[in-house]
Amino acid sequence: MTTLMDETAEDVPVKDITVNMSRLAAGPQDSFVNQNTRTRQDISRVSREELEDRFLRLHDDTLFLKEHIHKQDDKIKK
């Protein structure tokens, strides 16, 4: 009798989770939430002009990357 196995089962990544009992006792805390909170606090100390400059730079970078992606897609299609 042969058993069929899914050949993709070996490709599925498994996250190794170690349990820290002290964190469980203190309550659920997510490092992402803490990091996000710190970021918000830092932003509140930055001037409006600096935030606008950062936003415009990110916007320009995004537009440039989109244009670059479209050019690469066109090359791939050809």
Side-chain angles (χ1 to χ4, degrees):
M1 182 176 164
T2 62
T3 59
L4 296 176
M5 293 183 64
D6 184 13
E7 64 276 357
T8 60
E10 295 174 353
D11 297 335
V12 177
V14 178
K15 185 176 181 180
D16 185 21
I17 300 174
T18 57
V19 178
N20 186 349
M21 297 305 278
S22 63
R23 281 191 80 192
L24 291 176
Q29 294 178 346
D30 191 8
S31 62
F32 178 73
V33 172
N34 292 338
Q35 181 181 6
N36 195 14
T37 304
R38 275 187 252 122
T39 303
R40 288 183 184 169
Q41 291 172 352
D42 291 340
I43 288 176
S44 66
R45 295 180 184 141
V46 179
S47 70
R48 181 181 178 102
E49 291 80 19
E50 179 66 26
L51 289 174
E52 288 175 352
D53 288 343
R54 289 182 190 180
F55 171 78
L56 292 173
R57 249 184 257 124
L58 287 173
H59 184 69
D60 290 343
D61 289 345
T62 303
L63 291 177
F64 173 75
L65 290 173
K66 284 182 181 180
E67 182 180 330
H68 183 69
I69 288 170
H70 289 301
K71 286 179 182 177
Q72 288 185 337
D73 285 343
D74 290 341
K75 285 182 182 178
I76 291 170
K77 288 177 185 177
K78 290 179 182 179

